[in-house]
Amino acid sequence: MLPEVLRIQAEGFEKGNPEVLVKYSKSFRDIFYVIKSKDKIVGYCIYYLKPVLSLKGFEKQSVISSIATDKNFRGQGFAERLLRSSIKEMKVNGISSVLLYVNINNLPAIQLYKKIGFREIKQVENICGQKERCYELELRLV
Ligand SMILES: CC(C)(COP(=O)(O)OP(=O)(O)OC[C@H]1O[C@@H](n2cnc3c(N)ncnc32)[C@H](O)[C@@H]1OP(=O)(O)O)[C@@H](O)C(=O)NCCC(=O)NCCS
């Protein structure tokens, strides 16, 4: 499935680098979800787990590092379905919150995350690209 995921990543992110995605996925032990339409992969969502210390002790947080839909299949609800089922499974696996970063100019993605219930935590620089501003968004699951 990796070649399909990398193809969708390349068309979704101008500065997306397949080697970086593969390298980080290995070191962070990323989890990949894909969504298919008639046996064809049309979208993916990648996340990794991060322990966070809270008042209740250590909690499991997931960080979505990349999500994209094949250009020809956008606007048909695939990303929303993929994200909702990924989040459902994260909840079953005891994850307490989901974090992600989105460029402040990426309106389709921001709309998607807001629709699902993500809330803005803060604005940060240099995470979505050098000198680019992005929102840190969070969805609490518990
Ligand atoms: C962002 C992205 C993943 C959305 O994928 P998609 O499969 O087209 O999204 P969906 O069809 O599931 O849309 C779900 C919701 O997202 C929002 N949305 C999606 N595309 C939108 C657009 N072009 N403009 C505004 N809102 C949009 C809407 O709220 C939509 O719900 P609605 O149809 O009820 O209005 C897709 O545009 C993409 O791959 N972009 C390039 C990669 C990227 O930017 N990834 C996110 C990085 S943080």
Side-chain angles (χ1 to χ4, degrees):
M1 290 186 195
L2 194 57
E4 277 304 279
V5 168
L6 295 178
R7 179 186 64 75
I8 296 170
Q9 184 224 18
E11 65 179 32
F13 300 94
E14 256 174 47
K15 296 174 192 153
N17 182 333
E19 280 150 30
V20 171
L21 185 139
V22 172
K23 186 175 150 205
Y24 279 100
S25 301
K26 280 187 184 156
S27 41
F28 283 100
R29 296 165 161 260
D30 282 358
I31 296 157
F32 284 62
Y33 287 133
V34 295
I35 186 160
K36 291 182 175 179
S37 169
K38 295 183 188 144
D39 280 342
K40 180 184 160 61
I41 294 174
V42 296
Y44 72 82
C45 168
I46 305 175
Y47 73 90
Y48 62 89
L49 293 178
K50 187 172 135 191
V52 284
L53 192 56
S54 77
L55 291 174
K56 297 180 207 152
F58 273 106
E59 288 185 356
K60 272 195 283 182
Q61 186 176 61
S62 73
V63 183
I64 296 182
S65 54
S66 190
I67 175 169
T69 303
D70 182 320
K71 260 189 180 151
N72 299 315
F73 290 83
R74 288 189 192 159
Q76 298 175 43
F78 283 108
E80 184 175 346
R81 252 182 287 152
L82 177 62
L83 205 46
R84 286 195 192 277
S85 10
S86 306
I87 290 167
K88 216 175 189 177
E89 191 158 311
M90 289 175 197
K91 220 171 174 174
V92 170
N93 287 313
I95 290 167
S96 55
S97 65
V98 189
L99 200 77
L100 59 82
Y101 297 90
V102 57
N103 192 300
I104 58 166
N105 299 313
N106 191 346
L107 298 182
I110 293 169
Q111 287 292 106
L112 166 71
Y113 302 138
K114 292 263 161 86
K115 188 176 181 189
I116 293 206
F118 280 84
R119 301 256 163 102
E120 183 185 330
I121 305 293
K122 59 183 174 195
Q123 277 195 38
V124 285
E125 214 170 312
N126 295 332
I127 288 196
C128 300
Q130 269 207 333
K131 297 209 169 134
E132 302 214 17
R133 295 196 69 76
C134 59
Y135 297 118
E136 180 179 300
L137 303 183
E138 185 187 39
L139 178 72
R140 295 289 313 169
L141 302 184
V142 288

